[in-house]
PDB file of all heavy atoms in Angstrom:
ATOM      1  N   PHE A1498     -37.938  32.676 -20.114  1.00 96.00           N
ATOM      2  CA  PHE A1498     -36.631  32.688 -19.436  1.00 96.00           C
ATOM      3  C   PHE A1498     -35.725  31.566 -19.952  1.00 96.00           C
ATOM      4  O   PHE A1498     -36.194  30.459 -20.224  1.00 96.00           O
ATOM      5  CB  PHE A1498     -36.810  32.520 -17.919  1.00 96.00           C
ATOM      6  CG  PHE A1498     -37.199  33.793 -17.236  1.00 96.00           C
ATOM      7  CD1 PHE A1498     -38.523  34.177 -17.180  1.00 96.00           C
ATOM      8  CD2 PHE A1498     -36.240  34.613 -16.670  1.00 96.00           C
ATOM      9  CE1 PHE A1498     -38.891  35.362 -16.565  1.00 96.00           C
ATOM     10  CE2 PHE A1498     -36.587  35.798 -16.069  1.00 96.00           C
ATOM     11  CZ  PHE A1498     -37.924  36.176 -16.002  1.00 96.00           C
ATOM     12  N   VAL A1499     -34.437  31.876 -20.040  1.00 95.00           N
ATOM     13  CA  VAL A1499     -33.442  30.841 -20.376  1.00 95.00           C
ATOM     14  C   VAL A1499     -32.938  30.244 -19.064  1.00 95.00           C
ATOM     15  O   VAL A1499     -32.426  30.966 -18.200  1.00 95.00           O
ATOM     16  CB  VAL A1499     -32.261  31.437 -21.166  1.00 95.00           C
ATOM     17  CG1 VAL A1499     -31.162  30.392 -21.357  1.00 95.00           C
ATOM     18  CG2 VAL A1499     -32.737  31.959 -22.514  1.00 95.00           C
ATOM     19  N   LEU A1500     -33.108  28.955 -18.931  1.00 96.00           N
ATOM     20  CA  LEU A1500     -32.665  28.251 -17.725  1.00 96.00           C
ATOM     21  C   LEU A1500     -31.279  27.657 -17.960  1.00 96.00           C
ATOM     22  O   LEU A1500     -31.065  26.893 -18.900  1.00 96.00           O
ATOM     23  CB  LEU A1500     -33.650  27.123 -17.386  1.00 96.00           C
ATOM     24  CG  LEU A1500     -33.188  26.099 -16.346  1.00 96.00           C
ATOM     25  CD1 LEU A1500     -33.005  26.749 -14.978  1.00 96.00           C
ATOM     26  CD2 LEU A1500     -34.184  24.940 -16.250  1.00 96.00           C
ATOM     27  N   ASN A1501     -30.366  28.033 -17.078  1.00 96.00           N
ATOM     28  CA  ASN A1501     -28.994  27.535 -17.120  1.00 96.00           C
ATOM     29  C   ASN A1501     -28.820  26.637 -15.885  1.00 96.00           C
ATOM     30  O   ASN A1501     -29.242  27.002 -14.796  1.00 96.00           O
ATOM     31  CB  ASN A1501     -28.081  28.773 -17.055  1.00 96.00           C
ATOM     32  CG  ASN A1501     -26.616  28.451 -16.929  1.00 96.00           C
ATOM     33  OD1 ASN A1501     -26.213  27.294 -17.019  1.00 96.00           O
ATOM     34  ND2 ASN A1501     -25.811  29.485 -16.730  1.00 96.00           N
ATOM     35  N   THR A1502     -28.244  25.462 -16.067  1.00 95.00           N
ATOM     36  CA  THR A1502     -28.039  24.573 -14.918  1.00 95.00           C
ATOM     37  C   THR A1502     -26.538  24.389 -14.693  1.00 95.00           C
ATOM     38  O   THR A1502     -25.751  24.527 -15.628  1.00 95.00           O
ATOM     39  CB  THR A1502     -28.672  23.188 -15.142  1.00 95.00           C
ATOM     40  OG1 THR A1502     -27.951  22.527 -16.191  1.00 95.00           O
ATOM     41  CG2 THR A1502     -30.128  23.298 -15.530  1.00 95.00           C
ATOM     42  N   LEU A1550     -40.695  27.092 -11.493  1.00 98.00           N
ATOM     43  CA  LEU A1550     -40.205  27.146 -12.865  1.00 98.00           C
ATOM     44  C   LEU A1550     -40.880  26.004 -13.616  1.00 98.00           C
ATOM     45  O   LEU A1550     -40.899  24.867 -13.116  1.00 98.00           O
ATOM     46  CB  LEU A1550     -38.687  26.933 -12.914  1.00 98.00           C
ATOM     47  CG  LEU A1550     -37.773  28.132 -12.670  1.00 98.00           C
ATOM     48  CD1 LEU A1550     -37.999  28.772 -11.315  1.00 98.00           C
ATOM     49  CD2 LEU A1550     -36.314  27.721 -12.825  1.00 98.00           C
ATOM     50  N   ASN A1552     -42.228  24.283 -17.656  1.00 97.00           N
ATOM     51  CA  ASN A1552     -42.400  24.260 -19.114  1.00 97.00           C
ATOM     52  C   ASN A1552     -43.182  22.997 -19.465  1.00 97.00           C
ATOM     53  O   ASN A1552     -43.770  22.364 -18.565  1.00 97.00           O
ATOM     54  CB  ASN A1552     -41.051  24.368 -19.848  1.00 97.00           C
ATOM     55  CG  ASN A1552     -40.103  23.217 -19.519  1.00 97.00           C
ATOM     56  OD1 ASN A1552     -40.521  22.183 -18.992  1.00 97.00           O
ATOM     57  ND2 ASN A1552     -38.832  23.404 -19.826  1.00 97.00           N
ATOM     58  N   ILE A1557     -40.663  22.730 -11.290  1.00 97.00           N
ATOM     59  CA  ILE A1557     -39.926  22.577 -10.033  1.00 97.00           C
ATOM     60  C   ILE A1557     -40.260  23.766  -9.130  1.00 97.00           C
ATOM     61  O   ILE A1557     -40.717  24.811  -9.613  1.00 97.00           O
ATOM     62  CB  ILE A1557     -38.396  22.490 -10.248  1.00 97.00           C
ATOM     63  CG1 ILE A1557     -37.850  23.776 -10.901  1.00 97.00           C
ATOM     64  CG2 ILE A1557     -38.026  21.270 -11.074  1.00 97.00           C
ATOM     65  CD1 ILE A1557     -36.331  23.849 -10.899  1.00 97.00           C
ATOM     66  N   GLY A1570     -33.452  37.984 -17.859  1.00 95.00           N
ATOM     67  CA  GLY A1570     -34.032  37.012 -18.782  1.00 95.00           C
ATOM     68  C   GLY A1570     -33.468  35.606 -18.629  1.00 95.00           C
ATOM     69  O   GLY A1570     -33.881  34.691 -19.318  1.00 95.00           O
ATOM     70  N   ASN A1571     -32.507  35.461 -17.702  1.00 96.00           N
ATOM     71  CA  ASN A1571     -31.895  34.154 -17.461  1.00 96.00           C
ATOM     72  C   ASN A1571     -32.129  33.736 -16.012  1.00 96.00           C
ATOM     73  O   ASN A1571     -32.202  34.596 -15.125  1.00 96.00           O
ATOM     74  CB  ASN A1571     -30.382  34.207 -17.674  1.00 96.00           C
ATOM     75  CG  ASN A1571     -29.985  34.324 -19.137  1.00 96.00           C
ATOM     76  OD1 ASN A1571     -29.152  33.610 -19.618  1.00 96.00           O
ATOM     77  ND2 ASN A1571     -30.597  35.263 -19.845  1.00 96.00           N
ATOM     78  N   VAL A1572     -32.198  32.462 -15.771  1.00 97.00           N
ATOM     79  CA  VAL A1572     -32.200  31.951 -14.390  1.00 97.00           C
ATOM     80  C   VAL A1572     -31.177  30.814 -14.316  1.00 97.00           C
ATOM     81  O   VAL A1572     -30.954  30.108 -15.299  1.00 97.00           O
ATOM     82  CB  VAL A1572     -33.576  31.409 -13.925  1.00 97.00           C
ATOM     83  CG1 VAL A1572     -34.516  32.523 -13.579  1.00 97.00           C
ATOM     84  CG2 VAL A1572     -34.192  30.484 -14.959  1.00 97.00           C
ATOM     85  N   PHE A1573     -30.578  30.688 -13.151  1.00 97.00           N
ATOM     86  CA  PHE A1573     -29.636  29.597 -12.929  1.00 97.00           C
ATOM     87  C   PHE A1573     -30.154  28.729 -11.792  1.00 97.00           C
ATOM     88  O   PHE A1573     -30.534  29.245 -10.733  1.00 97.00           O
ATOM     89  CB  PHE A1573     -28.249  30.139 -12.558  1.00 97.00           C
ATOM     90  CG  PHE A1573     -27.301  29.060 -12.113  1.00 97.00           C
ATOM     91  CD1 PHE A1573     -26.595  28.313 -13.049  1.00 97.00           C
ATOM     92  CD2 PHE A1573     -27.126  28.767 -10.766  1.00 97.00           C
ATOM     93  CE1 PHE A1573     -25.730  27.302 -12.647  1.00 97.00           C
ATOM     94  CE2 PHE A1573     -26.269  27.748 -10.357  1.00 97.00           C
ATOM     95  CZ  PHE A1573     -25.562  27.017 -11.296  1.00 97.00           C
ATOM     96  N   VAL A1574     -30.184  27.422 -12.016  1.00 97.00           N
ATOM     97  CA  VAL A1574     -30.601  26.484 -10.963  1.00 97.00           C
ATOM     98  C   VAL A1574     -29.546  25.380 -10.872  1.00 97.00           C
ATOM     99  O   VAL A1574     -29.151  24.817 -11.897  1.00 97.00           O
ATOM    100  CB  VAL A1574     -31.976  25.855 -11.285  1.00 97.00           C
ATOM    101  CG1 VAL A1574     -32.367  24.809 -10.233  1.00 97.00           C
ATOM    102  CG2 VAL A1574     -33.052  26.923 -11.369  1.00 97.00           C
ATOM    103  N   VAL A1588     -33.934  19.542 -11.535  1.00 96.00           N
ATOM    104  CA  VAL A1588     -33.971  20.586 -12.565  1.00 96.00           C
ATOM    105  C   VAL A1588     -33.888  20.006 -13.972  1.00 96.00           C
ATOM    106  O   VAL A1588     -34.447  20.585 -14.919  1.00 96.00           O
ATOM    107  CB  VAL A1588     -32.874  21.637 -12.311  1.00 96.00           C
ATOM    108  CG1 VAL A1588     -31.483  21.071 -12.534  1.00 96.00           C
ATOM    109  CG2 VAL A1588     -33.083  22.859 -13.195  1.00 96.00           C
ATOM    110  N   LEU A1591     -36.718  19.711 -16.525  1.00 97.00           N
ATOM    111  CA  LEU A1591     -37.162  20.841 -17.356  1.00 97.00           C
ATOM    112  C   LEU A1591     -36.342  21.010 -18.629  1.00 97.00           C
ATOM    113  O   LEU A1591     -36.687  21.821 -19.484  1.00 97.00           O
ATOM    114  CB  LEU A1591     -37.048  22.150 -16.557  1.00 97.00           C
ATOM    115  CG  LEU A1591     -37.858  22.267 -15.283  1.00 97.00           C
ATOM    116  CD1 LEU A1591     -37.679  23.649 -14.667  1.00 97.00           C
ATOM    117  CD2 LEU A1591     -39.340  22.029 -15.574  1.00 97.00           C
ATOM    118  N   VAL A1592     -35.236  20.281 -18.716  1.00 95.00           N
ATOM    119  CA  VAL A1592     -34.317  20.509 -19.843  1.00 95.00           C
ATOM    120  C   VAL A1592     -34.749  19.664 -21.040  1.00 95.00           C
ATOM    121  O   VAL A1592     -34.832  18.441 -20.949  1.00 95.00           O
ATOM    122  CB  VAL A1592     -32.871  20.161 -19.435  1.00 95.00           C
ATOM    123  CG1 VAL A1592     -31.937  20.296 -20.634  1.00 95.00           C
ATOM    124  CG2 VAL A1592     -32.415  21.061 -18.306  1.00 95.00           C
ATOM    125  N   ALA A1604     -28.135  19.905 -24.496  1.00 95.00           N
ATOM    126  CA  ALA A1604     -27.956  21.328 -24.162  1.00 95.00           C
ATOM    127  C   ALA A1604     -28.493  21.571 -22.751  1.00 95.00           C
ATOM    128  O   ALA A1604     -29.573  22.130 -22.557  1.00 95.00           O
ATOM    129  CB  ALA A1604     -28.683  22.202 -25.178  1.00 95.00           C
ATOM    130  N   LEU A1605     -27.717  21.160 -21.763  1.00 94.00           N
ATOM    131  CA  LEU A1605     -28.196  21.229 -20.380  1.00 94.00           C
ATOM    132  C   LEU A1605     -28.185  22.647 -19.819  1.00 94.00           C
ATOM    133  O   LEU A1605     -28.637  22.875 -18.700  1.00 94.00           O
ATOM    134  CB  LEU A1605     -27.339  20.315 -19.497  1.00 94.00           C
ATOM    135  CG  LEU A1605     -27.546  18.817 -19.765  1.00 94.00           C
ATOM    136  CD1 LEU A1605     -26.389  17.998 -19.235  1.00 94.00           C
ATOM    137  CD2 LEU A1605     -28.848  18.325 -19.165  1.00 94.00           C
ATOM    138  N   LYS A1606     -27.659  23.593 -20.565  1.00 94.00           N
ATOM    139  CA  LYS A1606     -27.596  24.968 -20.062  1.00 94.00           C
ATOM    140  C   LYS A1606     -28.539  25.877 -20.814  1.00 94.00           C
ATOM    141  O   LYS A1606     -28.374  27.090 -20.790  1.00 94.00           O
ATOM    142  CB  LYS A1606     -26.164  25.493 -20.183  1.00 94.00           C
ATOM    143  CG  LYS A1606     -25.238  24.785 -19.222  1.00 94.00           C
ATOM    144  CD  LYS A1606     -23.875  25.376 -19.209  1.00 94.00           C
ATOM    145  CE  LYS A1606     -23.082  24.828 -18.047  1.00 94.00           C
ATOM    146  NZ  LYS A1606     -23.545  25.291 -16.747  1.00 94.00           N
ATOM    147  N   MET A1607     -29.511  25.313 -21.477  1.00 92.00           N
ATOM    148  CA  MET A1607     -30.308  26.140 -22.372  1.00 92.00           C
ATOM    149  C   MET A1607     -31.720  25.578 -22.470  1.00 92.00           C
ATOM    150  O   MET A1607     -32.102  25.033 -23.495  1.00 92.00           O
ATOM    151  CB  MET A1607     -29.608  26.128 -23.732  1.00 92.00           C
ATOM    152  CG  MET A1607     -30.099  27.094 -24.737  1.00 92.00           C
ATOM    153  SD  MET A1607     -29.435  28.706 -24.413  1.00 92.00           S
ATOM    154  CE  MET A1607     -30.101  29.601 -25.786  1.00 92.00           C
ATOM    155  N   ALA A1608     -32.480  25.707 -21.395  1.00 95.00           N
ATOM    156  CA  ALA A1608     -33.888  25.315 -21.473  1.00 95.00           C
ATOM    157  C   ALA A1608     -34.731  26.585 -21.397  1.00 95.00           C
ATOM    158  O   ALA A1608     -34.272  27.618 -20.910  1.00 95.00           O
ATOM    159  CB  ALA A1608     -34.232  24.388 -20.316  1.00 95.00           C
ATOM    160  N   ASN A1609     -35.945  26.524 -21.896  1.00 96.00           N
ATOM    161  CA  ASN A1609     -36.840  27.677 -21.820  1.00 96.00           C
ATOM    162  C   ASN A1609     -37.921  27.392 -20.786  1.00 96.00           C
ATOM    163  O   ASN A1609     -38.553  26.334 -20.823  1.00 96.00           O
ATOM    164  CB  ASN A1609     -37.475  27.950 -23.183  1.00 96.00           C
ATOM    165  CG  ASN A1609     -36.423  28.343 -24.189  1.00 96.00           C
ATOM    166  OD1 ASN A1609     -35.575  29.180 -23.898  1.00 96.00           O
ATOM    167  ND2 ASN A1609     -36.441  27.717 -25.339  1.00 96.00           N
ATOM    168  N   VAL A1610     -38.087  28.328 -19.885  1.00 97.00           N
ATOM    169  CA  VAL A1610     -39.046  28.104 -18.789  1.00 97.00           C
ATOM    170  C   VAL A1610     -39.840  29.370 -18.495  1.00 97.00           C
ATOM    171  O   VAL A1610     -39.427  30.480 -18.833  1.00 97.00           O
ATOM    172  CB  VAL A1610     -38.327  27.673 -17.478  1.00 97.00           C
ATOM    173  CG1 VAL A1610     -37.652  26.321 -17.632  1.00 97.00           C
ATOM    174  CG2 VAL A1610     -37.335  28.727 -17.021  1.00 97.00           C
TER     175      VAL A1610
END
Side-chain angles (χ1 to χ4, degrees):
F1498 280 85
V1499 173
L1500 167 65
N1501 173 7
T1502 67
L1550 276 59
N1552 61 16
I1557 61 169
N1571 288 229
V1572 283
F1573 171 83
V1574 176
V1588 69
L1591 300 183
V1592 176
L1605 290 161
K1606 291 186 168 290
M1607 191 79 177
N1609 296 313
V1610 295

